[in-house]
Amino acid sequence: MTEFGMPWPGGGDTAREAEAAGTTAFCTGEFADHDAYVTVAGMAAATENAQVGTAIAYGFSRTPFAHATAIRSLWNQAPGRVFAGLGSGAFSINRDWCGVPADRPVLRMSELVEAVRAWLHAENGERVRFDGEFYRVDARVQAPVLGRIEVPVLLAGFQRRMASAAGRTADGVIGHGLFTDRWWDDVVRPAVEAGAKEAGRDTRPLEHGWLLTAVDDADPERAVLDMRRMIAFYLTVRTYDAFAAHHGWTAQVERIREAFADGRTDDMAKAVTDDMVEAIALCGTTADAAAALRRRRDSIARDVAYFAPPSFMVGERRRRAYARSSLALVDALKSDVSP
């Protein structure tokens, strides 16, 4: 049965309330103003039992050594509770922000996972080795600071090839907030399963996934509008063209991009149709969102689903309010299985 988490709402009352209410995992992404691993350190310190990890950290902006040392440091702080979600990131971010190569991202990410694992699985006194096309490690660490640790390493897999790499090389996949039931079932899961079969794996790869959520019983129309804006903003990126075509939303996406180019954010939101909102998000009143979650329960991420509030043109205070209101969905699901 799927467990539920949320993107890190910050320390203090919200996080404590979320963990007490049954939230079993917290995750964080990263951007120009916050580092994923630093944020996870704060998450580990402020929680007691929940899983904590990146979803995602930019894969190519750090060496395998830098990823592994950060992960090991977090494991020492919160043993048994850490996972590492890595993503290739947008090509332009790698090139223009990070100044690192990002060509052939599927193979590069696959090698990154293996090189990071070489460090995480190294015993004291053991030579750490990995020899690939993009990464090479040959290290003798003359200090008793290693020792094998089993940290799940997940890949953000939106398209088929990266999802297949998640099944073949990593421990599982992280689903994007845009994922619908159809995208999970028609595209992502078959690709992950094919990758796992190719690698001869005998266990099901893990599934984590963001679930766009905006609940406001006092102003449900505002919640739906915030969600329309969030969906529209995501779909301005051409990476998701195949996703739009798969669902028959190409015309809507064209209107979204025309409005975005002119800075017409209200028109961006209007271009997101009701069927798009229903397929992608949980929003409106608590009852509306709970009903949508029950309808989608069999096709969301099988291991951990993160109730993710919209962030485009949504202030921090409102994001925190959405995070707190999503806890009612955990309560609703508990009541479904109560004797």
Side-chain angles (χ1 to χ4, degrees):
M1 182 177 294
T2 300
E3 296 184 344
F4 292 93
M6 65 173 60
W8 183 237
D13 293 343
T14 304
R16 286 191 290 271
E17 182 182 349
E19 193 169 20
T23 298
T24 61
F26 295 100
C27 68
T28 183
E30 67 180 346
F31 201 60
D33 61 342
H34 59 279
D35 179 277
Y37 291 118
V38 171
T39 304
V40 175
M43 292 156 58
T47 58
E48 296 182 0
N49 301 304
Q51 298 179 67
V52 293
T54 58
I56 57 157
Y58 293 143
F60 305 147
S61 66
R62 301 171 180 85
T63 64
F65 173 83
H67 282 292
T69 54
I71 294 166
R72 189 176 288 275
S73 296
L74 293 169
W75 180 270
N76 290 338
Q77 185 178 353
R81 296 201 284 133
V82 177
F83 62 91
L86 306 177
S88 59
F91 182 84
S92 60
I93 287 179
N94 285 293
R95 180 193 62 197
D96 301 334
W97 296 15
C98 305
V100 295
D103 56 303
R104 300 168 66 195
V106 175
L107 180 57
R108 194 182 290 272
M109 284 299 295
S110 297
E111 281 197 7
L112 176 64
V113 171
E114 294 183 64
V116 169
R117 277 220 192 96
W119 278 106
L120 297 180
H121 291 177
E123 299 288 359
N124 283 319
E126 180 179 293
R127 194 169 186 168
V128 185
R129 287 181 170 176
F130 177 78
D131 192 8
E133 180 178 348
F134 301 104
Y135 300 103
R136 182 176 181 275
V137 179
D138 187 3
R140 293 180 182 272
V141 180
Q142 301 298 321
V145 294
L146 298 180
R148 184 185 181 102
I149 57 174
E150 296 293 346
V151 175
V153 179
L154 313 175
L155 289 185
F158 199 106
Q159 310 291 1
R160 283 185 173 88
R161 292 185 63 224
M162 194 65 82
S164 179
R168 183 173 56 253
T169 309
D171 294 299
V173 67
I174 296 175
H176 193 281
L178 284 175
F179 279 17
T180 63
D181 297 356
R182 287 178 57 193
W183 196 252
W184 270 115
D185 293 339
D186 297 350
V187 177
V188 175
R189 286 195 178 107
V192 172
E193 289 166 3
K197 183 177 180 180
E198 181 182 339
R201 297 181 58 172
D202 56 5
T203 58
R204 177 180 65 77
L206 294 170
E207 290 182 4
H208 288 212
W210 289 51
L211 192 55
L212 293 178
T213 307
V215 175
D216 187 340
D217 287 325
D219 192 354
E221 292 183 0
R222 170 67 182 272
V224 174
L225 177 60
D226 284 341
M227 189 55 69
R228 290 183 192 276
R229 287 183 178 136
M230 187 75 254
I231 293 169
F233 181 69
Y234 277 138
L235 290 173
T236 60
V237 180
R238 295 196 179 278
T239 301
Y240 307 137
D241 283 354
F243 170 84
H246 186 78
H247 292 85
W249 295 335
T250 300
Q252 293 94 316
V253 170
E254 288 177 357
R255 290 194 292 272
I256 288 168
R257 291 176 182 169
E258 289 172 2
F260 182 66
D262 295 335
R264 293 182 283 112
T265 54
D266 287 344
D267 288 339
M268 287 172 60
K270 290 176 183 176
V272 177
T273 53
D274 291 346
D275 65 310
M276 296 170 72
V277 174
E278 182 177 353
I280 293 170
L282 314 177
C283 58
T285 65
T286 301
D288 293 337
L293 181 57
R294 291 184 182 104
R295 287 195 303 270
R296 297 186 59 187
R297 188 65 186 270
D298 291 339
S299 290
I300 61 175
R302 289 169 173 162
D303 294 291
V304 183
Y306 300 99
F307 293 126
S311 57
F312 179 61
M313 298 185 66
V314 177
E316 182 177 349
R317 181 180 297 178
R318 189 158 182 83
R319 289 199 300 271
R320 285 177 182 266
Y322 281 142
R324 180 172 277 109
S325 63
S326 69
L327 299 179
L329 301 180
V330 179
D331 289 337
L333 293 173
K334 284 181 181 177
S335 67
D336 288 349
V337 298
S338 296

